[in-house]
Amino acid sequence: MSEYGVPVPMTDVRDGFWGSFRDTLVREAIPYQWAALNDALPETAEKSGCMRNFRIAAGLETGAFHGYPFQDSDVYKWLEGVACSLRWKPDPALEALADGAIRIIAAAQQPDGYLDTYYIIRGLDRRWTNLRDDHELYVAGHLIEAAVAYWQATGKRVLLDAAIRFAAHIDSVIGPEEGKLHGYPGHPVLEMALMRLYDAAGDERHLRLAAYFIRQRGKQPLFFEEERLRSGREDAWKGSPLGLRYYQAHAPLTEQRDAVGHAVRAMYLYSGMADVAGATGDGELAAACRRLWESAVRRRMYVTGALGSSEHGEAFTFDYDLPNDTVYGETCASVGLVFFARRMLCLEPRGEYADVMERALFNSVLSGMQLDGKRFFYVNPLEVVPEACRWDRHKSHVKPERQPWFGCACCPPNLVRLLASLEDYAAVRHGDTLYLNLYLGGTLRDGGLVLETESRYPWDGRVELRVTAAPWEERSLALRIPGWCRVWRLLLNGEEAAAECREGYALLRRRWQTGDRLNLELEMIPRWVRTDPRVREDAGKVALQRGPIVYCLEEADNGKDLHLLRRGPDPSAETRWEPDTLGGVVTVLTAGLREGSDWPEDRLYDFRDAPEARPVELKWIPYYAWANRGTGEMRVWIRE
Amino acid sequence: MSEYGVPVPMTDVRDGFWGSFRDTLVREAIPYQWAALNDALPETAEKSGCMRNFRIAAGLETGAFHGYPFQDSDVYKWLEGVACSLRWKPDPALEALADGAIRIIAAAQQPDGYLDTYYIIRGLDRRWTNLRDDHELYVAGHLIEAAVAYWQATGKRVLLDAAIRFAAHIDSVIGPEEGKLHGYPGHPVLEMALMRLYDAAGDERHLRLAAYFIRQRGKQPLFFEEERLRSGREDAWKGSPLGLRYYQAHAPLTEQRDAVGHAVRAMYLYSGMADVAGATGDGELAAACRRLWESAVRRRMYVTGALGSSEHGEAFTFDYDLPNDTVYGETCASVGLVFFARRMLCLEPRGEYADVMERALFNSVLSGMQLDGKRFFYVNPLEVVPEACRWDRHKSHVKPERQPWFGCACCPPNLVRLLASLEDYAAVRHGDTLYLNLYLGGTLRDGGLVLETESRYPWDGRVELRVTAAPWEERSLALRIPGWCRVWRLLLNGEEAAAECREGYALLRRRWQTGDRLNLELEMIPRWVRTDPRVREDAGKVALQRGPIVYCLEEADNGKDLHLLRRGPDPSAETRWEPDTLGGVVTVLTAGLREGSDWPEDRLYDFRDAPEARPVELKWIPYYAWANRGTGEMRVWIRE
């Protein structure tokens, strides 16, 4: 384990692929979501009530609280997204809008620093009585995340001061000292938020509180059980195998072996744990991070980077249980996996972490948003038959089309804040080595070294890096060789570079010169993916991947009854750049078979030979772009 | 369409296969269920309260009603089972026990004939206000079924008189006349019960009421909607695609195209409709029966004869939607399918009906009971991974082992009454033709013709029939050639018989002589089954069937991870009679493959070739006998 790494943000992102998504973000998604938070969407969308709750709490309006206990977090995530976007796309009107929202939020804050409209409106006497389910600490976490981001982007402190005051209030209520609650967040996020605040402002109290949450969680006597018994509440998890596993609060984190429970909570919690492990050098926590990482991504993750196999508890189930059609795969869980992956990259530079980060980002995260930025998936299935979503209640959480808004609208603004801050995921520095993890086009500046990167990633595997300024001393550059790439070469100023390969990176150490040019050429061809055979649902099946992009078949291209399609014996694949399809994508054509036209109409079962299969061409599109051409079937895995 | 046929019961059943199940029935299941109905099972079993409710209603005890509105029906089904068993296994002690129960039941009847402990105990003022959900007519139906059976078996009229009085009361409350409720049963069964009472007692009023229920159902204005609005009840089906489809009450039966909604309700309703169609010669109803039969069995039935693809509403979903692991497949639905099939055989003698009857009986019905007669399945899955039932709530209705009792205990006594009356399913007479449908060993007597049948069915395809008495006139015998049989021959007194083949039967017309001997030889070999390719869940898979028995693989014989097993290229199969296994079964050995031992531990997805597969021997056991050797995986369909 090296020392804790530091993310090195990219600036001046000029990325063709992400650029177009980020244009949509600022042009469409951010204004659309502001309308949603203010209940200004058409009737068909579910109501938010979020900004109205704040106005009521601030005394600017009267009325009842609307929504979930965590409703406040939606605007915080939106503000964080706005803050990040202002870094790369200044927009005085948007900033003024955000300032206005922040004024209302600040006006709702109580004299003691408390700031959660759910209890402010409904009565402060019950606050801090249900850490497990009432999300006060979750809301605080998102307030802090937004506040730090907004301060960093604009220099304005109104939200930051409010956040620090709320953090101080929490510190006065929860902690190891006698008379305080020995609790921790029911829905984690405050842990990583406090670490972010600590990184930004350097107040040790924030580190201490975050570390307390991580170390206290799941210790005997179990706080959530005691809290529940004190209040006389029924256990909502009675009869469920989840119980406190839902909250990852059944045992101390250092004793947990499996990624269990609510997948979003798990990812946020592990992320916060990694932050604490890194900042404190706690090897036991770092080991727990690695163990839970492996459990999550080596035994419980979908090929798209989706997490959460069951709707019950939006949760992990058990090893290798990855049903494609009843999957949960919440967008937020994949967003959380990206958070976790970056933190693991800070704990130790291993390509596997970036591979997973990329897998989630290009697939299950991106699929969360319609290409026009105005509709969103909460659940990201790998196999959809619209009729089944309608008739089979076990699939009714799976929607065959994205939705305009949600009663629980955690995903849309979460996606915005991640995509708006993508530059923060590009690189991590360990010591004097700069690890490049995402090949965004843009500028990387680190200790005198300035790199301009250029790529047509993810459609093309060629990446160019030009050194435009360099320090005197030697420095190492580590270029990630993605796990999906079998053949690659690295040229330095046109000649094969003598790179050392380690843990998924090609390392080059030298005294860099202005004008140095690195050309990384990653062979990017369609490849057939298989799973560990223990995954029941994918036995005998293959998926298609090219570079980081997982592909799928849609009814729009391949007709109904996609389950009749097989790969067939010829594995060859042809790629095609289609600039006018789905915002510009590389599609893949493969030789397939379609079964079954010869079955007699009048019998359901028969002792017949295998059905006839006629050759057909299969047309694959990137998974993230599915459900942008009307409602129809989709599937990722097909039979061989 | 010929005239409505008449079931011809077999007597003196001497059937090796069914005989042993029926021994278990009288020796174990019937006493066990009596204990259950009297809350005398060990603590671990769910409570019934059934007999206690009757004692409370009769004023013999005080207390509150326990259980569901339909709790009374459990004892009625048990009594019907007892009645049927007394026909072939007289037992004075059991009869005395039943007489005692009947006295309590009769004592609970109200002066006006009303008899439902749910309302008697909770207040009669609310009776007849919720035909849709409160099961008063369902309870009445089972009372009548039990009463007729008990009267026919013992000649005792106490229960029959109570039933006739309750029917008269219902007739005074519901019907087409002004001032009566224009309703019908929320859970059908009364329709076929009234038809049974009409057949037994000949009172036209019972036929009229049954026909009214069938013809009135689903007519505008919709009674269930009006009833609900009158009472101000919320619609429990709000947001569900089912709605009144759950009750098959969304449209007149003659306009319904698909088998929809709660599968048990559907089967009972269609059975009653077939009875009414037969008795009244109503061709439109008969056509509706055929249409709904085809929908149910040609597009919505599992290979085991299970019905109901989804737990939501215990219901049918849509065509070809037959998930094996989230299936409902209630035992009662397959019992109901046997009822429906026999009635279709009365409407028209076609082998398909008997094929389905047999499919349900030997597989999904029989699987409902443990071999020791003391535990029962409610849900009959075709694929089980115990860990998935535990962790994935979408499978938590699927139990990997049979249960001692149920809060809703409809299935156990339903199974008893069907198996105890199996002789009634053996044959049907149309005109002067006797159609043999089930090859039970026993005696058939019909109009001077007496046939002794002998078989080792379902383990052996040879059936012998000996004529021990014959009438003067010519008579036709129609021997069913099962759909699973490709090669067969029929010998009359040792020589090839010149039989006419029609609709799945071999017909022989002649003046039969005492001493005539018919030998039917049905080739009974293991065969690989495939489904209509539109069934997504079975695409690329095969199941194994031998005669009417569908087979399955169990972990006990084939190890864990059954999904790794494939049939492999060699389709050959070897059968083995194992007298000491699972009560005596024919097991099947086939050449299979087990995949996947070469996958690396550290990655979930990879661009690898198809996994290695090593040859293994697959051992198949009859599906009905699964889960009798501890908890483990099971599956019916495997990949080719």
Side-chain angles (χ1 to χ4, degrees):
Chain A
M1 164 96 56
S2 73
E3 94 268 34
Y4 201 48
V6 182
V8 176
M10 182 167 267
T11 55
D12 312 311
V13 173
R14 307 170 296 273
D15 189 86
F17 182 81
W18 292 109
S20 88
F21 281 100
R22 286 160 42 119
D23 281 351
T24 304
L25 224 59
V26 291
R27 213 178 49 244
E28 304 292 348
I30 286 176
Y32 179 89
Q33 296 192 2
W34 177 246
L37 297 171
N38 286 278
D39 303 318
L41 294 184
E43 281 289 313
T44 47
E46 291 195 64
K47 268 213 140 19
S48 162
C50 182
M51 281 311 297
R52 189 166 169 271
N53 288 340
F54 276 104
R55 285 195 300 275
I56 295 167
L60 303 171
E61 200 174 319
T62 56
F65 179 86
H66 175 87
Y68 289 94
F70 48 81
Q71 209 75 357
D72 290 1
S73 61
D74 293 344
V75 73
Y76 293 145
K77 287 192 218 166
W78 179 82
L79 277 170
E80 188 184 339
V82 168
C84 297
S85 81
L86 292 176
R87 293 191 301 181
W88 46 268
K89 170 89 176 164
D91 179 341
L94 180 61
E95 190 171 330
L97 199 66
D99 287 340
I102 288 168
R103 272 194 299 277
I104 296 168
I105 291 164
Q109 191 163 36
Q110 301 299 293
D112 63 1
Y114 186 84
L115 183 42
D116 183 337
T117 70
Y118 179 73
Y119 278 111
I120 294 173
I121 296 173
R122 296 161 43 104
L124 287 167
D125 53 314
R126 301 285 299 155
R127 65 183 176 166
W128 305 127
T129 58
N130 189 353
L131 301 193
R132 199 188 84 166
D133 297 310
D134 279 357
H135 288 78
E136 288 162 290
L137 298 175
Y138 173 76
V139 161
H142 280 298
L143 166 60
I144 293 170
E145 294 257 16
V148 174
Y150 203 73
W151 172 62
Q152 287 173 332
T154 66
K156 296 176 182 170
R157 291 193 56 109
V158 178
L159 201 61
L160 185 68
D161 290 340
I164 290 173
R165 276 200 302 277
F166 196 10
H169 175 73
I170 291 167
D171 201 24
S172 76
V173 172
I174 304 175
E177 296 84 2
E178 221 186 288
K180 290 188 183 179
L181 297 171
H182 305 321
Y184 31 82
H187 193 314
V189 78
L190 183 54
E191 299 84 345
M192 57 174 156
L194 285 168
M195 291 309 295
R196 186 168 179 179
L197 183 55
Y198 168 65
D199 281 345
D203 187 336
E204 292 275 344
R205 282 178 303 181
H206 300 140
L207 167 62
R208 266 205 308 277
L209 189 54
Y212 176 73
F213 287 151
I214 294 296
R215 278 298 194 166
Q216 176 65 10
R217 195 175 197 89
K219 272 206 181 138
Q220 292 290 347
L222 292 164
F223 178 79
F224 289 158
E225 267 308 281
E226 299 215 312
E227 178 189 62
R228 187 179 69 73
L229 294 170
R230 247 191 330 267
S231 74
R233 281 189 294 272
E234 269 288 297
D235 186 1
W237 295 103
K238 214 176 133 181
S240 162
L242 289 174
L244 290 186
R245 279 184 184 80
Y246 173 79
Y247 310 90
Q248 299 85 34
H250 55 297
L253 277 159
T254 49
E255 292 171 19
Q256 295 190 26
R257 293 287 171 274
D258 298 311
V260 294
H262 188 267
V264 180
R265 282 170 161 85
M267 290 303 111
Y268 284 20
L269 176 62
Y270 306 159
S271 297
M273 173 162 60
D275 281 338
V276 171
T280 61
D282 185 329
E284 200 185 17
L285 286 185
C289 287
R290 269 195 302 273
R291 199 163 56 231
L292 293 167
W293 168 272
E294 285 178 13
S295 169
V297 312
R298 293 191 186 171
R299 297 187 289 279
R300 301 181 177 206
M301 178 185 73
Y302 287 86
V303 71
T304 55
L307 298 177
S309 298
S310 173
E311 186 216 2
H312 178 64
E314 312 181 329
F316 291 104
T317 53
F318 58 100
D319 284 350
Y320 307 107
D321 182 48
L322 296 164
N324 294 305
D325 55 350
T326 57
V327 49
Y328 207 72
E330 183 177 341
T331 305
C332 285
S334 295
V335 168
L337 179 56
V338 173
F339 296 161
F340 186 25
R342 190 186 69 182
R343 284 159 176 86
M344 292 308 290
L345 285 166
C346 289
L347 279 183
E348 49 180 355
R350 294 187 49 227
E352 180 190 340
Y353 302 130
D355 285 346
V356 168
M357 182 163 87
E358 204 182 61
R359 187 184 285 285
L361 205 49
F362 282 98
N363 301 290
S364 201
V365 167
L366 206 45
S367 68
M369 186 169 77
Q370 195 158 285
L371 293 176
D372 69 3
K374 293 183 178 174
R375 283 175 170 256
F376 306 91
F377 274 136
Y378 198 106
V379 166
N380 294 278
L382 285 81
E383 181 182 322
V384 166
V385 174
E387 220 176 349
C389 301
R390 174 167 152 70
W391 286 104
D392 186 346
R393 272 300 166 102
H394 290 305
K395 292 169 190 150
S396 64
H397 61 288
V398 176
K399 305 296 177 203
E401 58 233 339
R402 292 175 185 82
Q403 305 292 306
W405 203 246
F406 305 93
C408 170
C410 49
C411 298
N414 215 3
L415 209 152
V416 165
R417 72 184 182 123
L418 174 60
L419 298 192
S421 61
L422 215 53
E423 39 274 271
D424 299 342
Y425 296 81
V428 168
R429 173 166 33 78
H430 283 268
D432 67 355
T433 305
L434 186 64
Y435 289 85
L436 271 66
N437 293 313
L438 291 185
Y439 292 118
L440 304 174
T443 307
L444 275 170
R445 292 167 210 274
D446 185 47
L449 183 67
V450 180
L451 283 173
E452 303 290 332
T453 72
E454 210 170 286
S455 86
R456 276 202 67 229
Y457 211 83
W459 306 128
D460 187 302
R462 283 167 298 183
V463 181
E464 182 166 287
L465 300 102
R466 288 185 307 278
V467 176
T468 58
W472 277 105
E473 58 278 19
E474 279 197 337
R475 297 289 292 277
S476 291
L477 270 184
L479 305 187
R480 184 170 75 92
I481 309 302
W484 50 259
C485 182
R486 292 276 168 96
V487 180
W488 57 276
R489 60 177 196 160
L490 178 61
L491 305 180
L492 173 60
N493 299 323
E495 283 173 34
E496 203 83 37
E500 178 196 357
C501 291
R502 203 163 64 204
E503 293 285 11
Y505 292 91
L507 281 95
L508 266 181
R509 184 167 188 83
R510 63 188 248 117
R511 224 174 66 78
W512 297 94
Q513 310 285 342
T514 299
D516 276 349
R517 213 175 72 243
L518 276 170
N519 288 86
L520 178 62
E521 296 174 11
L522 304 166
E523 184 192 56
M524 191 181 269
I525 55 171
R527 301 188 79 104
W528 297 102
V529 187
R530 286 184 181 78
T531 63
D532 187 308
R534 283 169 289 192
V535 177
R536 294 186 308 283
E537 309 278 351
D538 302 335
K541 294 180 186 162
V542 289
L544 189 69
Q545 186 174 340
R546 178 176 179 274
I549 300 284
V550 173
Y551 280 76
C552 70
L553 296 173
E554 275 204 304
E555 183 178 332
D557 301 306
N558 300 285
K560 265 202 174 309
D561 287 329
L562 295 178
H563 70 277
L564 295 178
L565 297 175
R566 284 168 39 203
R567 190 189 69 166
D570 172 9
S572 64
E574 181 194 323
T575 59
R576 192 185 284 171
W577 168 243
E578 297 198 43
D580 300 325
T581 299
L582 297 164
V585 290
V586 168
T587 58
V588 183
L589 301 175
T590 68
L593 298 169
R594 180 177 270 272
E595 278 182 352
S597 50
D598 59 332
W599 191 272
E601 191 60 34
D602 67 343
R603 68 199 58 180
L604 189 49
Y605 303 100
D606 205 356
F607 307 116
R608 293 167 64 87
D609 290 334
E612 278 173 16
R614 64 183 166 81
V616 289
E617 184 169 71
L618 304 181
K619 178 166 180 177
W620 301 77
I621 63 158
Y623 170 76
Y624 73 77
W626 84 277
N628 274 287
R629 296 174 297 175
T631 304
E633 293 181 28
M634 182 277 292
R635 71 163 48 207
V636 169
W637 293 96
I638 64 166
R639 285 179 291 135
E640 289 187 68
Chain B
M1 166 93 61
S2 72
E3 96 266 33
Y4 201 49
V6 181
V8 176
M10 182 166 267
T11 55
D12 311 311
V13 173
R14 308 170 296 273
D15 189 86
F17 182 81
W18 291 109
S20 88
F21 282 99
R22 287 160 41 119
D23 281 351
T24 304
L25 224 58
V26 292
R27 213 178 49 244
E28 303 291 348
I30 286 176
Y32 179 89
Q33 296 191 3
W34 177 247
L37 297 171
N38 286 279
D39 303 317
L41 293 185
E43 281 289 311
T44 48
E46 291 196 63
K47 268 211 140 17
S48 163
C50 182
M51 281 311 298
R52 188 164 170 271
N53 288 339
F54 275 104
R55 285 196 300 275
I56 295 167
L60 305 171
E61 199 174 319
T62 55
F65 178 87
H66 176 85
Y68 288 95
F70 47 82
Q71 209 74 357
D72 290 2
S73 61
D74 293 344
V75 73
Y76 293 145
K77 287 191 218 166
W78 179 82
L79 278 170
E80 188 184 338
V82 168
C84 296
S85 80
L86 292 175
R87 294 192 301 181
W88 46 268
K89 169 90 176 164
D91 180 339
L94 180 61
E95 190 171 330
L97 199 66
D99 287 339
I102 289 169
R103 272 194 300 277
I104 296 169
I105 292 166
Q109 189 163 37
Q110 302 299 293
D112 64 2
Y114 186 84
L115 182 43
D116 183 337
T117 69
Y118 179 72
Y119 278 112
I120 294 172
I121 296 174
R122 296 160 43 103
L124 287 166
D125 52 314
R126 301 285 299 156
R127 64 183 178 167
W128 305 128
T129 58
N130 189 354
L131 301 192
R132 198 187 86 165
D133 297 310
D134 278 357
H135 289 76
E136 289 162 290
L137 298 175
Y138 174 76
V139 161
H142 279 299
L143 166 61
I144 293 171
E145 294 255 17
V148 174
Y150 203 73
W151 173 61
Q152 288 173 333
T154 66
K156 296 176 181 170
R157 290 194 57 109
V158 178
L159 200 62
L160 185 68
D161 290 339
I164 290 174
R165 277 201 302 275
F166 195 10
H169 174 73
I170 291 167
D171 201 24
S172 76
V173 173
I174 304 175
E177 297 85 0
E178 221 185 288
K180 290 188 182 178
L181 297 171
H182 305 320
Y184 32 83
H187 194 314
V189 78
L190 183 54
E191 300 85 345
M192 55 175 158
L194 286 167
M195 292 307 296
R196 184 168 181 180
L197 183 56
Y198 167 65
D199 281 346
D203 187 336
E204 292 275 344
R205 281 178 302 181
H206 299 141
L207 167 62
R208 266 206 309 275
L209 189 55
Y212 176 73
F213 286 150
I214 295 294
R215 278 300 194 165
Q216 177 64 9
R217 194 175 197 87
K219 273 206 181 137
Q220 292 291 345
L222 292 164
F223 178 79
F224 288 157
E225 266 308 280
E226 299 215 313
E227 180 188 60
R228 188 179 68 75
L229 294 171
R230 243 190 333 266
S231 73
R233 281 190 294 272
E234 269 287 297
D235 186 1
W237 295 103
K238 214 175 132 182
S240 163
L242 290 173
L244 291 185
R245 279 182 185 81
Y246 173 79
Y247 310 92
Q248 299 85 33
H250 55 296
L253 276 159
T254 50
E255 292 171 20
Q256 294 190 28
R257 293 285 170 276
D258 298 312
V260 294
H262 188 267
V264 181
R265 282 171 161 85
M267 290 302 110
Y268 285 20
L269 176 62
Y270 306 159
S271 297
M273 173 162 61
D275 281 338
V276 171
T280 61
D282 185 329
E284 201 185 17
L285 286 186
C289 286
R290 269 194 302 273
R291 201 164 52 232
L292 293 167
W293 169 273
E294 285 178 12
S295 169
V297 311
R298 293 191 186 171
R299 296 188 289 279
R300 301 179 177 208
M301 179 185 72
Y302 288 86
V303 71
T304 54
L307 298 177
S309 299
S310 173
E311 187 216 1
H312 177 64
E314 312 180 329
F316 292 104
T317 53
F318 59 100
D319 285 349
Y320 307 107
D321 182 49
L322 295 164
N324 294 306
D325 55 349
T326 58
V327 50
Y328 208 70
E330 184 177 339
T331 306
C332 285
S334 295
V335 168
L337 179 55
V338 173
F339 296 161
F340 186 24
R342 190 186 70 182
R343 284 157 175 87
M344 292 308 292
L345 285 166
C346 290
L347 278 182
E348 49 180 355
R350 293 187 49 224
E352 179 189 341
Y353 302 130
D355 284 346
V356 169
M357 183 162 86
E358 204 180 59
R359 187 184 286 285
L361 205 48
F362 282 97
N363 301 290
S364 200
V365 167
L366 206 45
S367 69
M369 186 167 77
Q370 195 157 285
L371 293 176
D372 69 3
K374 294 183 179 177
R375 283 176 170 254
F376 305 90
F377 273 136
Y378 197 108
V379 166
N380 294 278
L382 285 82
E383 181 182 322
V384 166
V385 174
E387 220 176 350
C389 301
R390 173 167 153 72
W391 285 104
D392 186 346
R393 273 300 165 104
H394 290 305
K395 291 168 192 151
S396 64
H397 61 289
V398 176
K399 304 297 177 202
E401 57 233 338
R402 293 176 185 81
Q403 305 293 305
W405 202 247
F406 305 93
C408 169
C410 49
C411 298
N414 216 3
L415 210 152
V416 165
R417 70 183 184 125
L418 174 60
L419 297 192
S421 62
L422 214 53
E423 39 273 272
D424 299 342
Y425 296 81
V428 168
R429 175 168 31 80
H430 283 268
D432 68 357
T433 305
L434 186 64
Y435 289 85
L436 272 65
N437 293 314
L438 291 186
Y439 292 118
L440 303 174
T443 307
L444 274 170
R445 293 166 209 274
D446 186 45
L449 185 66
V450 179
L451 283 173
E452 303 289 332
T453 72
E454 210 171 288
S455 86
R456 276 202 67 231
Y457 210 84
W459 306 129
D460 187 304
R462 283 167 298 183
V463 180
E464 182 167 287
L465 301 102
R466 289 184 308 278
V467 176
T468 57
W472 277 102
E473 58 279 18
E474 279 197 338
R475 299 289 292 276
S476 292
L477 271 184
L479 305 187
R480 185 171 76 91
I481 308 302
W484 49 259
C485 182
R486 292 275 169 96
V487 181
W488 56 277
R489 59 178 196 159
L490 180 60
L491 304 180
L492 173 60
N493 299 324
E495 283 172 34
E496 203 82 38
E500 178 195 356
C501 291
R502 204 164 63 205
E503 293 285 10
Y505 292 92
L507 282 95
L508 266 182
R509 185 169 187 83
R510 64 187 247 117
R511 224 174 68 78
W512 297 94
Q513 309 284 342
T514 298
D516 275 349
R517 211 176 73 243
L518 275 170
N519 288 86
L520 178 63
E521 295 175 11
L522 304 167
E523 185 192 55
M524 191 181 269
I525 55 170
R527 302 188 77 106
W528 297 102
V529 187
R530 285 183 181 79
T531 62
D532 187 308
R534 282 170 289 192
V535 178
R536 294 187 307 284
E537 309 278 351
D538 302 334
K541 293 179 185 161
V542 289
L544 188 69
Q545 187 174 339
R546 178 175 178 275
I549 300 283
V550 173
Y551 280 76
C552 71
L553 296 174
E554 275 203 304
E555 185 179 332
D557 302 306
N558 301 283
K560 265 204 174 305
D561 287 330
L562 295 178
H563 71 277
L564 295 179
L565 298 175
R566 284 167 42 201
R567 189 190 68 169
D570 172 9
S572 64
E574 181 195 325
T575 59
R576 191 186 285 172
W577 167 243
E578 299 198 43
D580 300 324
T581 300
L582 297 164
V585 291
V586 168
T587 57
V588 184
L589 301 174
T590 68
L593 297 170
R594 180 177 270 271
E595 279 183 352
S597 49
D598 59 332
W599 190 272
E601 192 60 35
D602 67 342
R603 67 199 57 179
L604 190 48
Y605 303 101
D606 205 355
F607 306 116
R608 293 167 64 87
D609 291 334
E612 277 173 17
R614 63 183 167 81
V616 288
E617 185 169 72
L618 304 181
K619 177 165 180 178
W620 302 78
I621 62 159
Y623 170 76
Y624 74 77
W626 83 277
N628 274 287
R629 296 174 296 174
T631 304
E633 293 183 27
M634 182 276 292
R635 70 164 48 207
V636 169
W637 293 96
I638 63 166
R639 287 179 291 136
E640 288 187 68

